[in-house]
Amino acid sequence: MSLERPDPALDDDAVLLVGHGSRREASNEQVRTLAAKLESRLSVPVDAAYIELAEPSIDDAIESLAPTCRTMTVVPLSLFAASHVKNDVPLAVQRARATHDDTEFRFGSHLGIHPSLVDLLDERARAVESDLGVDREDDDVAVVLCARGSSDPDSNGDVHKLARLLYEGRGFTRVESAFIGVTTPRLEETLHTVAKDRPDAVVVLPYMLGDGVLTGRIVDTAETFDEEYPYVDAGASGPLGADDRVVETLADRYREARTGSVEMSCDTCKYKVELAGYEDDEGGARAMLRSLVHQAEHADRTDVDDDPHVHDAPEKHVAVCTNQTCAASGAATVLEELRQGVRDADDCDVHVSRSSCLGQCGDGPIVAVYPDSVWYGGVTPDDTDRIVSSHLERDRIVSNLVHQSL
């Protein structure tokens, strides 16, 4: 999205709001709506971008917006801090810093846990209570807060904290947290557990931004539960949507980034500290490349309704370092030659993308091929044909170009 502005002069500040991206245009439109509302709230230009599945990409949006401002604040439109917030978006910001010397980039926090969002959930719960004909002041009302679920324990832990904050001082009999996928406890299991206490009503709150497949599953599960347990009234609310309290939270995240007071839960981040059961999850270059692979994994999917987060990954992913020293050695040309070579190949299931510094300055351009864990160094445009025809098409490593293997 690019909002029209009457004044073409250089802005002191601009905001890039980064959503996940969806094949459903309604979900992408929600990001644009929130961007427009945030622009009105802040009186600062706000554009929208997407991590995957929609245009513009973060890189393209930055290329378009950077020449118009002196400072750009990138704010992830993400409920919790999992892989996208910790890897994909920071990677794009780092790339931007390396290529736009005249623009200062600031990185804002995700939505996270915010009093405005707790109040919004409380309001959603009251609407469901009204539909069911119950009142927490006189009836036993239990709440199940259902989030998507993540492989990141830090993100899942925040769901439980949010549920506790919703419980405190609001008169609910209990507030439990649950997940619709990836991790446990699952929504069905939690609902059956809550039913054993025979509350008068159970309110299910989907902790989702948009009205997509996962939100629909949560609502359907609540309806099925209501049918199976006739002695408990049950109903589900809608998602958070483009409510003004979401905009208020985004505005706070922007202000935090501008004042340098962004807080991330690094003490419990699996990419920063060793957590039991997550010892193999690493940060650094490998985490970055894992993020690049994830960005490409949705590309071939057609039937989104089956499972919106099942991936069809490419056979190989090629990352070309385009940081300062590699760029000076012709990395941009190498990148485009590899992309063209892959497009021209008869049978080559490969995704090629740029990366930030891979820590091999002076030996570039560096080209990393995964999952083979082979890094080529000093690659010239003339070398790209051999990398494509030999390694990418026939799995034959170009030995004289190998810089290292991991």
Side-chain angles (χ1 to χ4, degrees), residues 96-320:
R97 286 172 175 156
T99 55
H100 295 279
D101 296 334
D102 295 332
T103 304
E104 178 184 0
F105 291 89
R106 297 179 183 269
F107 184 40
S109 179
H110 55 292
L111 287 166
I113 298 173
H114 191 282
S116 294
L117 298 180
V118 179
D119 289 342
L120 176 54
L121 289 171
D122 188 25
E123 181 181 288
R124 292 282 194 268
R126 288 190 183 278
V128 177
E129 290 176 67
S130 178
D131 290 341
L132 296 177
V134 296
D135 187 332
R136 70 185 76 163
E137 303 299 327
D138 301 315
D139 303 299
D140 289 338
V141 177
V143 173
V144 177
L145 178 69
C146 186
R148 174 183 175 264
S150 171
S151 60
D152 192 317
D154 183 33
S155 174
N156 297 330
D158 278 348
V159 179
H160 293 285
K161 181 176 181 179
L162 186 62
R164 182 67 195 188
L165 289 174
L166 183 61
Y167 170 77
E168 295 284 350
R170 285 181 169 79
F172 296 116
T173 302
R174 62 194 291 184
V175 177
E176 301 291 339
S177 52
F179 304 92
I180 197 63
V182 184
T183 189
T184 57
R186 294 295 178 89
L187 177 58
E188 297 92 336
E189 171 191 344
T190 303
L191 286 172
H192 295 322
T193 300
V194 169
K196 294 177 182 178
D197 287 343
R198 290 182 174 265
D200 296 309
V202 176
V203 174
V204 179
L205 300 177
Y207 199 59
M208 303 282 171
L209 282 168
D211 193 11
V213 171
L214 297 181
T215 301
R217 288 183 185 173
I218 295 171
V219 173
D220 291 344
T221 301
E223 291 177 352
T224 300
F225 171 78
D226 186 51
E227 295 171 358
E228 292 178 351
Y229 290 82
Y231 56 84
V232 180
D233 290 326
S237 75
L240 302 181
D243 190 273
D244 286 343
R245 278 153 293 194
V246 177
V247 179
E248 181 179 339
T249 304
L250 290 170
D252 277 354
R253 298 306 181 228
Y254 158 78
R255 296 186 189 100
E256 291 166 358
R258 290 289 286 137
T259 59
S261 57
V262 174
E263 294 184 2
M264 294 287 284
S265 50
C266 294
D267 288 344
T268 54
C269 173
K270 68 175 181 176
Y271 297 113
K272 300 293 183 182
V273 298
E274 287 190 7
L275 296 178
Y278 298 90
E279 293 86 355
D280 293 334
D281 291 347
E282 301 175 357
R286 293 193 182 191
M288 180 205 70
L289 287 168
R290 189 162 55 246
S291 298
L292 290 173
V293 171
H294 183 86
Q295 291 175 17
E297 285 176 339
H298 290 271
D300 298 330
R301 298 183 57 240
T302 55
D303 194 352
V304 189
D305 290 330
D306 284 347
D307 194 331
H309 276 83
V310 170
H311 307 305
D312 297 321
E315 291 182 2
K316 296 186 189 298
H317 192 106
V318 177
V320 181

Side-chain angles (χ1 to χ4, degrees), residues 322-339:
T322 55
N323 205 29
Q324 186 173 357
T325 57
C326 284
S329 301
T333 303
V334 170
L335 174 70
E336 292 308 315
E337 291 289 336
L338 284 170
R339 284 176 171 170

